[in-house]
């Protein structure tokens, strides 16, 4: 309950500050619409002539695109405004003030800011998911299964992003690494089966893009095996636990700005 009260204060003040520039929300919405239209158009091009990438129907591939767009919105709303600042906190020495606060430092760094400009992507992504589910005849259980593993994907993405941000304690100028991660995640627009075998291995076991977008869609479609779902859950738990361990390990090497 204490953390929920803190979270309410964090997000209340963050939204109040962001809404001073309300025109940004209109621009963010237009940008999200343009990107989504472009993504749907490029996806539809792959299905010309009856071709099915990886054996996926267009409506099924739209589930993957919806999951990708929703995660992109989540990243823009919560991950990017918070986790990208870890590097800045280390460079400027303001991480000292975070560590002195009577609240868990990882919680503070992960939730302090909230940007409403990512909400259009999040809402449009869920809208594409619901539209595709309607075309596929989904019921509540199918949606629940898919969205549950989309939540799992959100935790996986958070843990990866936080771990990369944590490395700034040793290697101060690592701001571009999160951009590299975002570039690799672009592969999540398409079902993992649409890629050659070598790429499928890379996006499953090196950068787990498959677990971010394809697995939630497969869970909704009833295609995901029990082993795949268990691996997704295990990956979430392991990465989240490792992010906690890695952060505490990094703090042992942290030299404050005042020392």
């Amino acid at each position: 309950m204490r953390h929920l009260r803190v979270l309410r204060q964090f997000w209340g003040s963050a939204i109040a500050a962001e809404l001073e520039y309300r025109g940004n929300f209109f621009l963010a919405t237009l940008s999200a619409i343009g990107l989504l239209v472009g993504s749907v158009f490029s996806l539809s091009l792959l299905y010309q002539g009856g071709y099915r990438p990886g054996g996926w129907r267009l409506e099924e591939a739209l589930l993957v695109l919806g999951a990708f767009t929703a995660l992109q919105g989540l990243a823009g709303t919560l991950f990017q405004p918070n986790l990208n600042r870890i590097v800045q906190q280390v460079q400027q020495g303001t991480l000292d003030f975070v560590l002195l606060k009577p609240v868990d430092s990882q919680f503070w760094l992960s939730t302090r800011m909230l940007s409403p400009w990512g909400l259009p992507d999040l809402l449009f992504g869920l809208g594409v998911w619901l539209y595709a589910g309607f075309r596929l005849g989904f019921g509540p259980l199918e949606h629940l299964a898919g969205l549950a593993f989309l939540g799992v994907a959100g935790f996986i993405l958070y843990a990866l992003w936080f771990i990369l941000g944590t490395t700034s304690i040793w290697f101060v100028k690592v701001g571009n690494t999160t951009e590299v991660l975002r570039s690799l995640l672009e592969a999540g627009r398409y079902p993992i089966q649409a890629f050659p075998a070598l790429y499928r291995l890379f996006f499953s076991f090196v950068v787990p893009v498959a677990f971010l977008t394809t697995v939630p869609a497969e869970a909704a479609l009833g295609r995901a095996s029990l082993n795949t779902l268990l691996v997704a859950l295990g990956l979430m738990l392991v990465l989240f636990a490792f992010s906690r361990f890695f952060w505490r390990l990094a703090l042992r090497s942290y030299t404050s700005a005042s020392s």
Side-chain angles (χ1 to χ4, degrees), residues 86-128:
I86 296 177
V87 178
Q88 179 182 344
Q89 299 271 11
V90 174
Q91 291 176 340
Q92 297 180 354
T94 52
L95 181 60
D96 295 11
F97 301 106
V98 176
L99 298 177
L100 291 173
K101 296 182 184 298
V103 67
D104 183 86
S105 56
Q106 183 173 349
F107 174 80
W108 196 99
L109 290 168
S110 302
T111 62
R112 176 63 184 88
M113 302 299 297
L114 184 73
S115 174
W117 318 135
L119 288 178
D121 276 323
L122 179 60
L123 295 176
F124 290 151
L126 293 176
V128 171

Side-chain angles (χ1 to χ4, degrees), residues 152-204:
V152 169
F155 276 101
I156 292 174
L157 180 57
Y158 159 76
L160 289 172
W161 208 312
F162 188 83
I163 290 167
L164 287 176
T166 299
T167 61
S168 63
I169 290 182
W170 292 289
F171 314 105
V172 178
K173 296 183 179 180
V174 295
N176 291 332
T177 57
T178 56
E179 294 305 316
V180 172
L181 175 63
R182 293 187 66 181
S183 298
L184 290 172
L185 293 178
E186 289 291 325
R189 293 178 185 271
Y190 309 103
I192 196 67
Q193 290 82 0
F195 294 94
L198 185 60
Y199 286 89
R200 290 201 299 269
L201 288 173
F202 179 80
F203 288 126
S204 296

Side-chain angles (χ1 to χ4, degrees), residues 30-46:
L30 289 180
S31 175
I33 291 173
L35 290 174
L36 182 59
V37 169
S39 296
V40 173
F41 177 72
S42 63
L43 183 64
S44 66
L45 291 178
L46 296 177

Side-chain angles (χ1 to χ4, degrees), residues 15-59:
I15 291 175
E18 293 287 351
L19 288 182
E20 293 181 8
Y21 309 95
R22 298 179 185 180
N24 287 349
F25 186 78
F26 176 72
L27 295 176
T29 302
L30 289 180
S31 175
I33 291 173
L35 290 174
L36 182 59
V37 169
S39 296
V40 173
F41 177 72
S42 63
L43 183 64
S44 66
L45 291 178
L46 296 177
Y47 286 84
Q48 298 299 312
Y51 176 64
R52 291 186 178 184
W56 286 63
R57 295 164 51 193
L58 177 59
E59 293 83 2

